[in-house]
Amino acid sequence: MVDISQSVRVGIGLIGTGFMGRCHANAFGSVAGLFDLPGEPVKAMLADVTEAAAEAGAAALGFERWTADWQALIDDAAVDIVAITAPNVLHEPMAMAAIAAGKTVYCEKPLSTTAASALRMMEAAEAAGVVTSVGFNFLRNPMIALAREIVTSGEIGEITGFRGRHAENYMADPAAPHSFRTDPQGGGAVADIGSHIIAMARYLVGPIAEVSADCVTLYPERPAGPGAEEMRRVEVDDMTHALIRFAGGVGGSIEANWAATGRTMDLSFEITGTKGAVAFTQERMNELLLYAGSGARAGYRRIEAGPSHPPYGRFCPAPGHHLGFNDLKVIEVADLIGSHVEGGRCMPDFREALAVQETVEAMQTSSQERCWVTVPGLGR
Amino acid sequence: MVDISQSVRVGIGLIGTGFMGRCHANAFGSVAGLFDLPGEPVKAMLADVTEAAAEAGAAALGFERWTADWQALIDDAAVDIVAITAPNVLHEPMAMAAIAAGKTVYCEKPLSTTAASALRMMEAAEAAGVVTSVGFNFLRNPMIALAREIVTSGEIGEITGFRGRHAENYMADPAAPHSFRTDPQGGGAVADIGSHIIAMARYLVGPIAEVSADCVTLYPERPAGPGAEEMRRVEVDDMTHALIRFAGGVGGSIEANWAATGRTMDLSFEITGTKGAVAFTQERMNELLLYAGSGARAGYRRIEAGPSHPPYGRFCPAPGHHLGFNDLKVIEVADLIGSHVEGGRCMPDFREALAVQETVEAMQTSSQERCWVTVPGLGR
Amino acid sequence: MVDISQSVRVGIGLIGTGFMGRCHANAFGSVAGLFDLPGEPVKAMLADVTEAAAEAGAAALGFERWTADWQALIDDAAVDIVAITAPNVLHEPMAMAAIAAGKTVYCEKPLSTTAASALRMMEAAEAAGVVTSVGFNFLRNPMIALAREIVTSGEIGEITGFRGRHAENYMADPAAPHSFRTDPQGGGAVADIGSHIIAMARYLVGPIAEVSADCVTLYPERPAGPGAEEMRRVEVDDMTHALIRFAGGVGGSIEANWAATGRTMDLSFEITGTKGAVAFTQERMNELLLYAGSGARAGYRRIEAGPSHPPYGRFCPAPGHHLGFNDLKVIEVADLIGSHVEGGRCMPDFREALAVQETVEAMQTSSQERCWVTVPGLGR
Amino acid sequence: MVDISQSVRVGIGLIGTGFMGRCHANAFGSVAGLFDLPGEPVKAMLADVTEAAAEAGAAALGFERWTADWQALIDDAAVDIVAITAPNVLHEPMAMAAIAAGKTVYCEKPLSTTAASALRMMEAAEAAGVVTSVGFNFLRNPMIALAREIVTSGEIGEITGFRGRHAENYMADPAAPHSFRTDPQGGGAVADIGSHIIAMARYLVGPIAEVSADCVTLYPERPAGPGAEEMRRVEVDDMTHALIRFAGGVGGSIEANWAATGRTMDLSFEITGTKGAVAFTQERMNELLLYAGSGARAGYRRIEAGPSHPPYGRFCPAPGHHLGFNDLKVIEVADLIGSHVEGGRCMPDFREALAVQETVEAMQTSSQERCWVTVPGLGR
């Protein structure tokens, strides 16, 4: 818990009150009661599209002040961290303004609508020396930290293969209408959720160097909007299968699929090494499967999250109690406040998020050109 | 979210800052951002054993004021709901004082150290007409609500059997020392966690009428305290197996076990009906198994929690995101604030918690006397 | 494989051509191609209720000769092992005749319809010094051999608890008619399948000394026969829950249930020790779950059957290929032929099967008298 | 069971007594006791590399005669079906001889060492009009028959994606030596086990039209033989990931991996449709997962094999008893004897096995040329 005698006030300015906005607000509200932080988060200001929405949101989510002008929020002296949960197309202008104001920037994924835009954002942030963080919250899971420790320590030997997937069913219905997701700026399934498994692959095994992908549009037309009779052409993928080669030579595959009937959150992987393997699915986010050893007692073991997997113990003092999705966001903002106060990169930051976006675009290019594509930016 | 124009201020007075105290504080802090409440919870006052502890706790957990005098907290005009997370032996005096002050009482389980004490508390609360609630938080799981709907609607036919268990491993080590749990007032495994599966059985199938139990003390001596060389005799059970008969005639079994090596939170059940069955374990709290139908397509299906299972949608707009343990506490306080403002029982209340405690004691009596015992208080 | 130069001819006489009769025939036909046996089984003679049935059965199942007179089969010089798969009520006269003729007796479970009858059979067999074997085939699973090795070696420490069950759904339908199973001589669910989990408990943990059971008849009337309109009273249980204490003091519970909607073969157990645990269900008969170790890498591991679990390698040279139910019968007859030729007990033999039956009857007595009952025959 | 009055004698000539040879022998020995066959299999003659081996094998496996000359076996008048379990390089000459002799040919997979060879075999067999069958035994699983029925009936809507894999660990150890498998004629993992998942994909979804594959050799050198110090270069893959497009347009991926530490037989798939999905792994070969329906009760259901899934009932009259690997071979020979006596294709026959082999080679070509490759022979 916060030692208030020494703590620094950290003013939070939140832009947006949708699902992610509320998720951020709750995380900033809970984090001090759960973590020993070097700074005390204060919900300073909320921005929404209208004054009325902003006022109601501020009341409900516990912000001190509100505004309908996001630039004013960014410029406000009481705001130290700008949290961006606005539509993707606004990420760049908002982040650029926050960087210009010297603020720490906490942006939802994807970082932007194109890699070119993301590159501008990364370069501006690094030139300004501000702390950045991008909301790939699934990486914050204590079981993913455990997986990374197992993989990077050599505990399962040399890594020999990666098999990853992010499959959900939210666009499985052909009658699911167009939205920002199916807009070319949304980037399709490979951008929307493929980015999560790409970020995971990079976090656990390293940079992806080459890809050969097949982006499939299952439903070439969808209703133009909710309940619309008019149909509109879809130009993005519903499902992408990709072959990948990591920079270190390891091969594998990745699938992104938002039309995977029966799957709710199969953000999953199996990483094989010469001496063992780990496997995970977000559908059972409090479990990691580990294969190690050999002989008559060997088998995949189901490790359940508990206090021996930090920072689980911040939430519950005993195993078996389980973290939920919203808790991952709390861990993310705890890391963010740490980096904001004490400095250092808050991974995954803009640089990392750019690499994810470049990998996504390499998959799209590969599919169009039906060939292997080298991911740009390697060795940047 | 709270419509602040109409909302009633609900002052929270919290006693205790241990695991459960912090869990309560976070729940009261998050609930307004997640639920449409008829009142606005305000973290008014915190009590702890010393002024310093109370002050530090209030700062960390966001309470407006603090005190080392729990009676003062109860009497404070700004406190509407008294939340008791103090040691079990203090539940009765604290609750009695809160009832005398006409406050809503929110008490952690078990309600008290004996059924006789719990009976006094229930009678006082009902005589005073105050709202009460007891923290059997596992009942708040949307998947348990779904199980109850399936069982009570007749969807799986007439209920024919119940097989329940709460097994953990936190006392499996013979070197685990004495604590309040192993004190006779703690009641042993059958009281500490048996109460959860008894509460679950009652919630899903109904009152338990008769029991035949075998309470086993695996380690007759444990270290007197953490690191102590001195051993102290243990008089409570580590593991209880019980036969049960519900008031409606259904038979079954219950196990309570805090020495179940390998189990972290196997609060589990299988309820069999003439047309189907449901099964659940808290180790996979976002899943309910349902068997229904017949023929070549029949099989246990794994239902994953999602927005079609209220109030899941309050936390996440899509399935696959998962609730965690702390979210169950948020649902509990949402129900509590609803009952506080609008009236009505907040189940499980003192009356229900008393019945659980009487069932626990019937099991202990049955084991001592090696015979079937009728649970007292049936038909009260 | 058989070294024919040294092998002894072992003549098999099979009585019965139902499910178990065919299962025996196939096992005797396959075993020589899979195991190195000290004798060569020859399908010498088949008995069935009519000459025609016996002749057809002999042709289909590959027996050299046939008869409608089971006494003639027993007396035939070409028959060395008498395999009894006739109705339970005939087990005693057939076994007694085979014992009198000095033949090895291989009898399907249950050994007989009462413990008194089973006692007579055991005493006669031991007086005559013939080899006996009873078909509790689930014990032949290589994963059960592994479980036994783990439990008896101390690998999971001192055993502290047993939780067992045999649940199926074949009588879950109230319209399922009377049969030999629901006849008082059949003994109900506790005899029909409870005997399997009792045999398993004894095999893994040891003799059961005391029981407190609750035998429940879910459907007091069933159709008198297939398609019958007439209803007939049912006097046996559909579901039994029992508390048990092993002779060594370990406590636990057992359930037998033939009306467990949704379960096909949940012959399952969880055995807890001070240092670990093992768990199993026949629904996944090629897997054993083992919990061992502690700390951040501990978890239940899923051990898959393979050549390191004898005699799996007799069937397949690599893991992952899986044994099926009929393979367990092959292992059983391999053991039987070994004992027949080389001598020694072929466990579970008549003595062991008698103890199972006495445990079943103790449960029935306990339920009638609503008290704990000591299992007779302990220390015999 | 066989109606002997009408049955035709079907003489079996088996070449080879390795794992597969014994597996064939047992299947031919058991099948008549389990299936109603139009012909009676007789184990007529066995061929092995030496007279002594053949004589011993014939005795152990129950063959009437033996020979060290496979051509003599093929020419023998008592042999109707020639079963080939010899090394892959001998498949073509043996099959060609059997075809020339007008015999039914039952060949283990892969059909041959190259697609060109397989094409010659297919053309010869079809020109001669003989019945052929290739041992892709995993397709014989009743749960695979169920999956096919579900997929082809439209029960899960239009098929939108396929995700398949065959992963084992038998070559995961870098010290595992060279063998016929790692020989270029063996074809590597993609041929050895990739052929199984390709056959499965074709059986369930249809012909594969295009592939983009990445064949990875994890260990470029292996010991030249068991225990050898000398290392020999490996030219085949250990792991292949491939993108696939079916002729009908459906996209997906396939992995073949014999170095998948932790996996014993993950011959698995998930087939997604617009209305549902099915999933399977050979590691749990008695279960099929089916997702169907929608709403608060939807979920993947685990269907357990039982008599409602033919021909399961041939082996056991009740669910929960489980088939094993060897039982799949029994089903295969039952189908074979049916086709032999009554005519008609015995799928998968030589034509089908050729298409599998062409798909394997297309993957190898794709990997070498780093581009998409059209599978030859489509529309043949």
Side-chain angles (χ1 to χ4, degrees), chain A residues 9-263:
Chain A
R9 180 192 177 282
V10 180
I12 309 300
L14 172 65
I15 307 177
T17 59
F19 168 41
M20 271 299 134
R22 280 185 292 148
C23 190
H24 281 220
N26 279 294
F28 283 116
S30 301
V31 66
L34 296 164
F35 282 79
D36 288 323
L37 297 174
E40 185 187 7
V42 175
K43 289 191 267 187
M45 189 177 284
L46 182 78
D48 207 341
V49 283
T50 66
E51 283 284 328
E55 181 176 3
L61 301 174
F63 280 80
E64 295 175 346
R65 292 179 297 142
W66 62 88
T67 177
D69 175 5
W70 56 260
Q71 183 68 53
L73 177 145
I74 287 169
D75 293 336
D76 197 281
V79 168
D80 301 300
I81 295 177
V82 177
I84 303 172
T85 70
N88 300 346
V89 73
L90 293 171
H91 288 189
E92 183 177 0
M94 288 173 172
M96 287 304 203
I99 291 164
K103 304 293 171 77
T104 286
V105 193
Y106 174 32
C107 187
E108 266 311 306
K109 52 75 46 181
L111 183 49
S112 195
T113 53
T114 65
S117 166
L119 177 60
R120 288 191 296 268
M121 293 164 74
M122 182 277 276
E123 287 177 340
E126 297 200 351
V130 301
V131 170
T132 60
S133 177
V134 182
F136 287 106
N137 31 248
F138 298 117
L139 306 185
R140 306 294 175 175
N141 189 333
M143 302 321 277
I144 299 302
L146 176 62
R148 193 176 196 226
E149 182 187 328
I150 288 169
V151 168
T152 59
S153 68
E155 202 169 319
I156 55 169
E158 296 282 310
I159 302 308
T160 55
F162 179 89
R163 180 175 173 80
R165 184 191 204 197
H166 192 146
E168 299 196 36
N169 64 357
Y170 56 93
M171 297 297 286
D173 185 352
H178 258 288
S179 73
F180 71 93
R181 297 180 194 278
T182 47
D183 190 89
Q185 286 194 330
V190 68
D192 195 32
I193 54 178
S195 57
H196 281 301
I197 183 62
I198 291 169
M200 189 69 82
R202 289 178 53 88
Y203 185 65
L204 295 172
V205 182
I208 294 170
E210 291 178 287
V211 300
S212 171
D214 188 18
C215 302
V216 179
T217 304
L218 293 170
Y219 309 116
E221 291 196 323
R222 286 182 183 272
E229 287 195 20
E230 185 200 351
M231 301 297 280
R232 196 177 125 196
R233 194 162 153 246
V234 175
E235 293 172 47
V236 298
D237 72 301
D238 293 305
M239 171 180 84
T240 287
H241 288 272
L243 309 179
I244 61 172
R245 283 285 186 129
F246 290 89
V250 174
S253 72
I254 277 181
E255 175 184 351
N257 194 337
W258 67 22
T261 312
R263 294 295 176 189

Side-chain angles (χ1 to χ4, degrees), chain B residues 296-298, chain D residues 138-150 200 203-204 269 278-282 284-290 301-312 323 328 331:
Chain B
R297 301 290 185 279
Chain D
F138 298 117
L139 305 186
R140 306 294 175 174
N141 189 332
M143 302 321 276
I144 299 302
L146 176 62
R148 192 175 198 228
E149 181 186 329
I150 289 170
M200 189 70 81
Y203 185 64
L204 295 172
F269 59 79
V278 289
F280 173 84
T281 174
Q282 181 71 16
R284 286 179 171 159
M285 62 173 271
N286 287 277
E287 302 177 15
L288 181 73
L289 300 180
L290 168 63
R301 77 187 69 168
R302 183 168 74 89
I303 303 172
E304 292 182 83
S308 53
H309 310 114
Y312 175 99
L323 303 193
L328 303 184
I331 299 173

Side-chain angles (χ1 to χ4, degrees), chain B residues 11 14 18-19 28 32 35 43 47 86 104 133 164-165 197 216 233 271 274 277 279 285 296 304 341 353:
Chain B
L14 172 65
F19 167 42
F28 283 116
F35 282 79
K43 289 191 265 187
T104 287
S133 176
R165 185 190 203 198
I197 183 61
V216 178
R233 192 161 154 246
I271 301 176
T274 47
M285 63 173 272
E304 291 182 84
V341 176

Side-chain angles (χ1 to χ4, degrees), chain B residues 146 149-150 153 155 290 292 295-304 308-309, chain D residues 146 149-150 153 155 290 292 295-304 308-309:
Chain B
L146 175 62
E149 182 186 330
I150 289 169
S153 67
E155 202 169 320
L290 169 64
R297 301 290 185 279
Y300 259 105
R301 77 186 69 166
R302 182 169 75 91
I303 303 172
E304 291 182 84
S308 54
H309 311 113
Chain D
L146 176 62
E149 181 186 329
I150 289 170
S153 68
E155 202 170 320
L290 168 63
R297 300 291 184 280
Y300 260 105
R301 77 187 69 168
R302 183 168 74 89
I303 303 172
E304 292 182 83
S308 53
H309 310 114

Side-chain angles (χ1 to χ4, degrees), chain A residues 271-332:
Chain A
I271 300 175
T272 305
T274 48
K275 296 180 186 169
V278 289
F280 173 83
T281 174
Q282 182 71 18
E283 290 184 1
R284 286 180 170 160
M285 63 172 272
N286 288 277
E287 304 178 15
L288 182 73
L289 300 180
L290 168 64
Y291 183 93
S294 60
R297 300 290 185 281
Y300 260 105
R301 78 187 68 168
R302 183 169 75 90
I303 303 172
E304 291 182 84
S308 53
H309 311 113
Y312 176 99
R314 294 289 173 181
F315 296 87
C316 303
H321 285 72
H322 286 206
L323 303 192
F325 173 82
N326 290 338
D327 297 326
L328 303 184
K329 218 67 189 174
V330 174
I331 300 172
E332 191 168 89

Side-chain angles (χ1 to χ4, degrees), chain D residues 175 177 222-231:
Chain D
R222 288 182 182 271
E229 287 195 23
E230 183 200 351
M231 300 298 280

Side-chain angles (χ1 to χ4, degrees), chain D residues 9-76:
Chain D
R9 181 193 177 282
V10 180
I12 309 299
L14 172 65
I15 308 177
T17 60
F19 168 41
M20 271 299 133
R22 280 185 292 147
C23 192
H24 281 220
N26 279 293
F28 284 116
S30 301
V31 66
L34 296 165
F35 282 78
D36 287 323
L37 297 173
E40 185 187 7
V42 174
K43 291 192 266 189
M45 188 177 287
L46 182 79
D48 207 342
V49 284
T50 66
E51 284 282 330
E55 181 175 4
L61 301 175
F63 280 79
E64 295 175 346
R65 292 179 297 140
W66 62 88
T67 177
D69 174 4
W70 56 259
Q71 182 68 54
L73 177 145
I74 287 169
D75 293 337
D76 197 280

